[in-house]
Amino acid sequence: MSNRIVRINELVQREISDILRRRYSAEAVAVTVTEVRIAPDLRDGRVFVAIVGEEEFVQGRFRWLRSIAPQLREELAKRIVIKFLPRLTYLLDTTAGRAAKIHKALNDLEAHAAAPPPQGEGDVLS
């Protein structure tokens, strides 16, 4: 990936995060822009967002985010001066949620392995 694309990715990520924080602070409280991937031709891009909360809350915030995508693009066009402003697709980044589930499963497994066996079970010699 070229240095220019990396800089554009970082700029778009920073600006979208700033717009969400300043203009939609109440609604975007649990929304984090985790990554932006702009195509080398600058025509399309993907914006990955993580949303913290229960599944119903996450889906609701994600629907809200997708509904304001045209306003985000319009505000972004005012802030970033490049030849082509990419068409952005918003995607839910579930990496953090999956990592938390794996972490919990490992902790549960470790706790289960460390627990002594129940009384009356185990090897008994007669």
Side-chain angles (χ1 to χ4, degrees):
M1 185 180 315
S2 76
N3 214 11
R4 178 175 183 238
I5 295 298
V6 170
R7 288 193 328 264
I8 291 172
N9 287 340
E10 292 170 354
L11 177 63
V12 170
Q13 179 179 357
R14 188 171 53 247
E15 291 299 328
I16 291 174
S17 295
D18 189 61
I19 293 166
L20 289 172
R21 185 174 38 100
R22 290 175 187 258
R23 188 168 176 192
Y24 301 99
S25 60
E27 298 89 348
V29 70
V31 178
T32 303
V33 179
T34 58
E35 184 179 3
V36 173
R37 293 184 197 158
I38 304 296
D41 65 0
L42 301 178
R43 299 290 183 172
D44 296 298
R46 294 181 178 162
V47 179
F48 294 88
V49 294
I51 303 172
V52 179
E54 296 296 321
E55 187 63 26
E56 187 176 318
F57 175 80
V58 169
Q59 292 303 321
R61 287 293 175 200
F62 188 61
R63 281 191 303 274
W64 165 79
L65 181 65
R66 291 179 64 194
S67 74
I68 66 161
Q71 291 90 344
L72 288 174
R73 189 178 193 313
E74 184 179 315
E75 182 69 27
L76 202 56
K78 294 175 187 175
R79 294 176 174 222
I80 298 176
V81 180
I82 55 178
K83 188 171 184 177
F84 300 108
L85 185 63
R87 287 183 305 269
L88 299 174
T89 303
Y90 291 84
L91 302 167
L92 197 55
D93 184 349
T94 58
T95 306
R98 285 183 300 181
K101 287 179 184 177
I102 291 170
H103 184 69
K104 183 185 179 318
L106 290 173
N107 283 342
D108 291 348
L109 185 61
E110 184 178 304
H112 180 70
Q119 290 292 334
E121 291 185 21
D123 294 333
V124 178
L125 296 175
S126 307

